[in-house]
Amino acid sequence: MEIVVFAKKGTTKDGRAFYRYIGRLTRKSTGEVVTVAVKFRADCGNPDPHTCPRVISFNKSDANYNEKTIEKDDGTSVISRELWITAWTDKGEFVDTSMDDFA
């Protein structure tokens, strides 16, 4: 499988910087595109956040998808989706073509 991984910089409450990775998966059954938090096991390492977005490749046997509903304090609920990857290969830089149809 291939996925485009984006890096988003965040900071902890004590001011330390960290990166989280996000991507999109398409469900085979419905064609629905879902946004997922992409997490990498310590053994395989993370993509360099400064070179993201990147296209990465992984085997389905080297990944695990988790989905759960979280109740927020204000009474609303959100769906948390995580893709855990244990082994991956860098396929290169993502080329954005979304503006090609505009003058």
Side-chain angles (χ1 to χ4, degrees), residues 26-58:
T26 304
R27 292 187 192 275
K28 278 201 256 183
S29 59
T30 62
E32 175 189 15
V33 177
V34 294
T35 301
V36 296
V38 182
K39 310 236 178 180
F40 298 91
R41 303 277 183 200
D43 296 345
C44 70
N46 299 335
D48 181 0
H50 303 292
T51 63
C52 283
R54 306 293 298 170
V55 178
I56 66 167
S57 174
F58 61 93

Side-chain angles (χ1 to χ4, degrees), residues 49-95:
H50 303 292
T51 63
C52 283
R54 306 293 298 170
V55 178
I56 66 167
S57 174
F58 61 93
N59 293 324
K60 287 184 181 183
S61 61
D62 294 326
N64 183 358
Y65 175 79
N66 297 315
E67 184 173 299
K68 61 184 172 184
T69 302
I70 300 173
E71 298 294 328
K72 295 172 68 176
D73 293 336
D74 62 2
T76 60
S77 61
V78 294
I79 299 174
S80 171
R81 297 177 176 102
E82 294 177 331
L83 174 67
W84 286 89
I85 297 177
T86 58
W88 59 278
T89 305
D90 188 359
K91 300 299 265 183
E93 184 178 344
F94 170 69
V95 178

